[in-house]
Amino acid sequence: MPEKSPAARRSFATAQVQAGFDSGTAENTAIPSIHQSNGFEFRSLAEARDLFALRRDGNIYSRAANPTVLVFERRIAELEGGIAAAGVASGQAAVAIALLALAKQGEHIVAARQLYGGTVDLLQDTFADWGIAVTFVDQDDIGAWRAAVRPTTRALFAESISNPIAQVLDLGAVAAVAKDAGVPLVIDNTVATPYLQRAKDFGADIVVHSATKFLGGHGTSLGGAVVDLGTFDFTTQPERWPQLTQTYPRVPDGSLVERFGKTGSPYIALVKTKYVHDLGPSLSAFNAFQLLQGLETLDLRMERHTATALAVARFLETHPAVARVHHPGLESSPWHAQAATYLPRGTSSVFAFDLPQTGDPESDFRLVEEFISRLRVVKLVANIGDARSLVAHPASMTHSHMSPAQLAEAHIGPTTVRLSIGLEDPRDIVDDLAGSLDQVALGDAQAQLEESVLR
């Protein structure tokens, strides 16, 4: 490699841009540094050529890879027991590119009905625009999963804990269907996190996260992750996966399996070099740094989140103004047994409960609106997984684009209220909810009294 000549005396304008910095100097920082740089300096044109041809690993441009993001990717991959990961701009981006790397126009995905509303929008609207068919099934109906599989199916997709009802997926049973079909099982593990559940242990092949939620935990930074768990062999039926097993134009004279099969993840290489590179949903270095700070306390936070949430759920179950509580930690939950199997470290801190329905949509909305308006500790925010306790009304907020039939299939009613329990004192959360629920119960009792008088 030709040596660089010593720097000549620089003018003011040149010095103000270049002085005091050497791109080849490595600093011995104790924590990951924020590499807030769009591009990276190459030592030679020959090195640049090899990097662009994917013949060697290294930094090119932060849209596809960044050193701070790489630390985040390695960390979440290890926590999930995976072989590689891609950090992206949001959880929605993670779901989109994870599935786009598997299914193309004319192909098919089987997905659970019980999904976050934005994911339903993506799969039923945008994927349809791109010619990718999606069949939605009841996630508890294993026969329906099996019956929905077609020759063109390229993935099964579900959430390990559904948002907002906190249904616990029978992951092992769905994984068996995916294995029989010869396709990967992709699991959105956002609500569970790798601390409460390692989806790989139950047969998942790929995991996605909205790192915006519990992984970060502070409600300041958007981010997402796609993790290859290393359990699916794309070479068993290579004709199904030409994007990985046939010559890849961006790898001269070879396929991604040939280039990365022994040393990394061909699947993650495709995600990064095509979908993140071409579509641009890049995770910024600063957000990756923020998410890394959150990951350092994930186990401690999840223990607090889940313990407090269960205490809140138990309180709600006893309150006369609550019609039903959807929490898998409760013995009354239809998913209690599955929670014991799949969530041994604690159950969901995102869950829902139903206020009594009046039978009139506008009255139901006003009932929920008034209940939320009286809360002071629990905040009305569309996010989950925050340090703060949050409340939302799925039917008019996060799941508002779904049809009445879809809402019913997802067990979301007009008076369903979603909670994401934070890190505050459990007594303050319970007292806040109790103060507002007591007013609901009072109003209900007054209505019953007036009705009896009228009779």
Side-chain angles (χ1 to χ4, degrees), residues 37-262:
S37 179
N38 296 335
F40 301 89
E41 185 177 350
F42 306 111
R43 289 174 291 184
S44 69
L45 184 58
E47 179 193 52
R49 179 181 61 183
D50 286 346
L51 288 167
F52 274 84
L54 303 182
R55 282 191 286 263
R56 62 190 295 181
D57 297 329
N59 300 314
I60 297 175
Y61 194 69
S62 280
R63 185 172 77 244
N66 174 281
T68 310
V69 175
L70 183 60
V71 177
F72 169 74
E73 291 170 344
R74 288 170 174 164
R75 190 166 297 178
I76 190 61
E78 183 168 336
L79 291 174
E80 285 285 8
I83 59 173
V88 293
S90 68
Q92 189 79 339
V95 174
I97 64 173
L99 295 174
L100 285 173
L102 297 171
K104 62 181 182 297
Q105 185 178 25
E107 294 179 337
H108 175 247
I109 294 166
V110 184
R113 288 174 181 162
Q114 296 87 347
L115 298 173
Y116 159 62
T119 305
V120 174
D121 292 342
L122 170 71
L123 298 182
Q124 75 177 8
D125 294 342
T126 303
F127 272 32
D129 292 342
W130 294 339
I132 301 170
V134 179
T135 300
F136 292 95
V137 299
D138 181 350
Q139 71 174 40
D140 292 336
D141 187 344
I142 303 305
W145 284 99
R146 200 174 298 278
V149 172
R150 307 174 185 173
T152 55
T153 301
R154 293 296 178 265
L156 271 56
F157 177 76
E159 295 173 1
S160 51
I161 302 175
S162 72
N163 172 5
I165 300 297
Q167 290 182 236
V168 179
L169 182 71
D170 190 349
L171 208 159
V174 179
V177 175
K179 186 175 181 180
D180 290 344
V183 300
L185 172 60
V186 183
I187 291 295
D188 185 335
N189 206 30
T190 296
V191 176
T193 80
Y195 179 71
L196 296 183
Q197 181 187 99
R198 289 251 297 231
K200 180 180 181 177
D201 296 343
F202 302 102
D205 301 296
I206 294 162
V207 158
V208 297
H209 283 278
S210 174
T212 310
K213 313 301 192 298
F214 291 105
L215 298 188
H218 32 56
T220 66
S221 303
L222 292 174
V226 183
V227 185
D228 182 357
L229 302 178
T231 54
F232 189 81
D233 185 358
F234 291 97
T235 65
T236 300
Q237 293 179 294
E239 69 284 353
R240 279 190 167 193
W241 318 104
Q243 66 270 45
L244 297 169
T245 60
Q246 294 182 10
T247 298
Y248 185 55
R250 303 176 195 196
V251 179
D253 306 318
S255 68
L256 287 171
V257 165
E258 290 168 333
R259 169 65 179 86
F260 296 101
K262 294 181 180 178

Side-chain angles (χ1 to χ4, degrees), residues 443-454:
D444 191 45
Q446 181 65 28
Q448 289 176 9
L449 181 62
E450 290 173 358
E451 187 179 344
S452 66
V453 168
L454 289 171

